[in-house]
Amino acid sequence: MQDDAEVRREVLAYLRSHPQAADTLCGIVSWWLPRQRLETGRRRIEQVLDELVSAGLLRRDPLPDGEALYGLERRAGTSPLR
């Protein structure tokens, strides 16, 4: 379960990203917090993927739409993920 400080950070982070936002308690619980968690989780995962690419454990292949495709780096000498 989240502590109050974490919920406070998520609400304020959402409002910094969407300064014109206003909603009811139900809307905040249903829309703001899940969206903020998704955005925060996405940033964390992206950082980890960047670290794995930098370490030579993953490869990143750019796709035409600007996204990236990640996969195991298969170069010789690459150690297995631990």
Side-chain angles (χ1 to χ4, degrees):
M1 186 161 169
Q2 293 180 300
D3 65 4
D4 292 350
E6 187 175 352
V7 172
R8 188 171 23 254
R9 282 190 302 272
E10 288 183 1
V11 168
L12 292 174
Y14 183 87
L15 287 168
R16 282 188 210 99
S17 296
H18 307 88
Q20 301 302 315
D23 212 333
T24 62
L25 172 60
C26 185
I28 291 168
V29 169
S30 298
W31 296 102
W32 293 15
L33 296 182
R35 183 170 179 169
Q36 188 58 36
R37 288 183 190 123
L38 177 65
E39 291 171 6
T40 301
R42 181 181 171 99
R43 283 191 300 270
R44 287 179 185 158
I45 292 168
E46 186 175 33
Q47 288 174 344
V48 169
L49 291 172
D50 288 345
E51 290 171 7
L52 292 170
V53 168
S54 293
L57 298 172
L58 291 185
R59 71 176 189 282
R60 178 181 354 191
D61 299 318
L63 297 173
D65 66 358
E67 288 287 326
L69 187 64
Y70 294 90
L72 188 61
E73 179 59 71
R74 300 199 185 276
R75 291 183 298 175
T78 301
S79 60
L81 297 175
R82 294 186 187 145

